[in-house]
Structures are given as structure tokens and as C-alpha cells.
Amino acid sequence: MIGIPADAPLDTPQAAPEVPSPDDATPAVLVLADGTVLRGLACGARGHVCGEVVFNTGMTGYQEVLTDPSYAGQLVTFTYPELGNTGVNGEDLEADHAHARGCILRQLAPRPSSWRCEQTLDQWLVRQGVVGIRGVDTRALVRHLREGGALNGAIASDGTDPATLLAQVRAAPSMDGLNLAAQVSTREPYSWNRSCSAAFDTRLQTRPDRPYRVVAIDFGIKRAILERLVAHGCAVTVLPADATLEQVLALEPEGVFLSNGPGDPAAVAEGIALAGDLLQQPQLPVFGICLGHQILGLALGGRSFKLGYGHRGLNHPCGSPGSVEITSQNHGFALDAASLPAERVEITHLNLNDRTVAALALRHQPVFGIQYHPEASPGPHDADHHFARFVALMAERR
């Protein structure tokens, strides 16, 4: 079987066969845990995979989505009706390899058109071992997920029958309780000093005389986040998800960043313990996004809960009094606002679609977290100022 087996570790490399012809009409099937069966045609690697079926509403950024470690363990449904128009290039990847287990799409562009294109999306999916299905009525599928919530499912393009797939899907674990951050995190510390390309990103780039020393805890960090930290004048050292306070402080950081990542935040026990220890350093600036934001809330005594179908897209409005940011988001869990200690925590932003917690800040410490992605890769740039906010806290402390 080619592709990623249902029980394989998320980071297992897979050998890829020759890329099939774009006219290949190999049948494929998608089976959901509630018994729903959708049929289509194969794309990407041949095989079968299980995972949580979610949807992303972005109109662009398919390769960033598929390589975002926050999608580990998931089968991503793209609501935009045609993918692959601009192919794939090496500069826009968020990690060395794909992290989504599978992709579900309406139509695959047969001929990409972009001077930056290095290979077609289908070629890249095959070489990454990502099993896909095309020709699916994604509008109907998304309506189904919106009504019933995200479900486990399986894609098969190797002839595995739906009954066998359904048994595998129903035996697969729920996303609740899964610590996937431990699987996608770096194994060894490393330094990052590359900023975003000025040719494609005209946002602010600062070069202080002395870069701010930042330790980033990798729960599934995206390259674009590291690039924006560097662009805002930071020298970044990345540590694994199980880093201890002693390892962090040994690097004499001026600020600590808690990254995005996949899975259930409540299951990331070592990250929550580290965040709790960092909160005992009253003058140390700490900035968390997405999973890192949730881990901060949990370390403060709050609770998290699973959203029905999550927030995954590029146009989520988030607001503070007198201000609205259009944001890029990718998460399936959120913090319970009522569980956060009001005497210590201020909820600064709400998601204006469902009033869930979108950002928090400590009242008496230089610590804050946001539920969305300020690097916006892809997406709008409204929230980039949060990087500057982090730098300003470090500058004040310096």
C-alpha cells in the first residue's frame, strides 16, 4: 500500500511511485464515521488513510495548509472549488513535508499557471504520500460537517471496500485527548535567522542593533511565524515541545514564544507545565498563538473545549472595543471564557462569528495570547502588529 497507513506515525516518510497521468480515472471513496459514503476519483498517492475530516474555507494557500503541522492527523476538505491552479513551489511550504494526512477537493487543475510553479499539486501530493480524492461534492460535505460536527473518516484509492474503511474509522481515536504536538515537534533545538522574502512580502521588517533573543517552543510551528519573528528583529532559538524551564532560561531569552500546533491542548501536559513555570517569571514577556494561546489559558487554570467544526479559513473577524481584525485561523479547540480567572486575565478579543475567546492578556504581566495566526500565511495582514507588540514588551524590559 502506498500512502500513509491508518496506524502509521504522522511523520513517517513514504516512498512515492511515479506520478499518475492527469487523465487517470482511478476511483476513490470517502467514508465518514456516521456511515456516509462519497465517491470520486483518486488524486495524490494511492492508498488509504484515516483521520479527522475538517474543512478550510480559504480561497488560496493550499500548499501552506497541507504543510501546516497544525493539520496533522486530519483529512482537509477545501471549499474553494478548484485547487492546483498555481502548482507548488518550495518557498511557500510551512514545513519540510506535508502534515495533513489526506485532501478532499472538488476539482484539480490539470495545468498550473505560475512562473513560480516547480511541480503540479498532484505530483507533489504523490511524492509527499498524501492520499486524496477529487470530484467530491465539497459543498454538500461541508454542510454535513457544519450540521453534525467534524467526524473521523477515511479516504481510499487502493480498492479498500467501504465496510472495511468504516470499521477502521470507528476504531480510530477521537481528536479529544490526543497530544499530537509531541509527534510534530522538532527533536533537537535549532536556530532560525531567515526572514520573509522582501520580493513577496512588503510588510515591516526591522533590524535592531541587537536582535531580541527569543526562545520559541515548537508545538508544530510554521516557518512563516519564524520568518515574521526574524523580520521584526528577533534572533530565534527553537526548542522541542517537552523543553523545561531550565533549558529555556539557560538561553537567557528576552521573550518566549509558544507556537501553534495540532491536537487537544489539554493533552499537552509538558507544555502546560512549562507555561505555568514561565508565568512564575513575572518580568519575562510571553506570546502564544493558537495552541500556544490555549496552553497559556490552561496554565492559568482555564479549561478548553472542542468546537463543533472548528475555525479554519482566512476571513474570521475578531474584535476588541473599537477595532476589528480579519484573521487567518486554524483550530478545533477554544478556551472557555468563564473558566479564566478574571482578576488576572483580560479577554481582549472575541471571535465575532461565535463570541469565543480570540485573545487574552495578563493584567499585571507582559504575557498575551491570540487564537489566530498573525503571520497570515496565507491570509490578511491585519494581525501582524501582534509581533510588534511582543517586540515592544521585550524592548521595554531591555
Side-chain angles (χ1 to χ4, degrees):
M1 180 181 70
I2 295 164
I4 304 176
D7 59 350
L10 297 179
D11 57 355
T12 301
Q14 300 292 317
E18 292 299 318
V19 177
S21 162
D23 299 322
D24 184 25
T26 300
V29 64
L30 169 66
V31 177
L32 302 181
D34 63 2
T36 300
V37 177
L38 298 175
R39 299 184 182 276
L41 299 174
C43 61
R46 301 299 184 256
H48 68 268
V49 287
C50 291
E52 183 183 45
V53 182
V54 300
F55 63 89
N56 182 291
T57 60
M59 296 177 66
T60 185
Y62 51 82
Q63 68 175 89
E64 291 94 332
V65 167
L66 292 166
T67 54
D68 181 349
S70 294
Y71 282 101
Q74 294 178 325
L75 313 179
V76 184
T77 306
F78 291 91
T79 64
Y80 190 69
E82 184 173 62
L83 258 65
N85 309 67
T86 56
V88 176
N89 69 80
E91 293 184 353
D92 293 340
L93 303 177
E94 295 294 349
D96 289 334
H97 59 88
H99 283 278
R101 280 191 166 182
C103 69
I104 303 161
L105 56 139
R106 179 71 182 91
Q107 181 172 316
L108 185 64
R111 296 182 184 84
S113 177
S114 171
W115 64 271
R116 301 178 70 211
C117 176
E118 296 171 4
Q119 56 188 314
T120 70
L121 176 58
D122 198 37
Q123 290 170 336
W124 182 83
L125 290 172
V126 171
R127 289 164 184 155
Q128 291 291 314
V130 177
V131 178
I133 181 171
R134 59 188 173 94
V136 171
D137 185 345
T138 50
R139 178 178 294 182
L141 175 58
V142 168
R143 285 179 173 172
H144 188 70
L145 296 175
R146 281 177 58 91
E147 292 170 1
L151 293 166
N152 278 349
I155 302 170
S157 56
D158 60 358
T160 304
D161 66 275
T164 299
L165 291 173
L166 182 59
Q168 292 180 0
V169 168
R170 289 180 172 171
S174 164
M175 192 62 73
D176 284 296
L178 287 185
N179 180 4
L180 297 181
Q183 297 188 34
V184 302
S185 177
T186 181
R187 301 294 188 264
E188 300 292 336
Y190 64 92
S191 297
W192 187 276
N193 56 19
R194 189 184 79 192
S195 65
C196 44
S197 169
F200 303 111
D201 194 333
T202 59
R203 285 177 288 181
L204 170 73
Q205 298 200 31
T206 59
R207 291 289 183 270
D209 293 335
R210 284 191 298 141
Y212 295 94
R213 298 186 306 278
V214 171
V215 169
I217 308 301
D218 176 15
F219 300 118
I221 200 164
K222 296 171 63 180
R223 287 178 177 170
I225 293 172
L226 294 170
E227 291 175 350
R228 287 310 294 160
L229 285 169
V230 172
H232 278 268
C234 302
V236 185
T237 301
V238 183
L239 295 184
D242 60 357
T244 65
L245 179 66
E246 291 72 21
Q247 290 171 320
V248 171
L249 295 183
L251 295 169
E252 300 182 344
E254 295 177 273
V256 177
F257 176 79
L258 306 177
S259 86
N260 64 295
D264 185 346
V268 190
E270 290 169 313
I272 296 169
L274 173 61
D277 290 339
L278 291 170
L279 292 173
Q280 300 304 312
Q281 311 295 313
Q283 304 305 316
L284 181 63
V286 179
F287 174 24
I289 73 161
C290 209
L291 187 74
H293 154 85
Q294 296 160 0
I295 284 173
L296 269 178
L298 293 168
L300 288 160
R303 295 185 301 271
S304 60
F305 65 96
K306 196 173 191 303
L307 295 164
Y309 47 83
H311 301 154
R312 297 176 180 88
L314 312 181
N315 60 347
H316 288 260
C318 292
S320 58
S323 174
V324 175
E325 299 173 6
I326 304 302
T327 68
S328 178
Q329 300 199 13
N330 169 23
H331 60 103
F333 292 80
L335 291 172
D336 177 0
S339 71
L340 296 167
E343 73 282 359
R344 192 176 183 189
V345 178
E346 178 187 3
I347 297 173
T348 60
H349 295 66
L350 294 175
N351 185 302
L352 300 181
N353 287 330
D354 61 8
R355 311 299 289 182
T356 52
V357 177
L360 60 81
L362 267 62
R363 298 185 186 277
H364 306 296
Q365 287 180 242
V367 176
F368 70 103
I370 62 175
Q371 183 62 83
Y372 42 94
H373 282 263
E375 83 288 350
S377 176
H381 295 169
D382 294 24
D384 190 69
H385 65 91
H386 290 291
F387 288 113
R389 176 183 175 189
F390 182 43
V391 169
L393 291 174
M394 292 188 286
E396 182 177 347
R397 180 174 184 257
R398 180 182 280 185

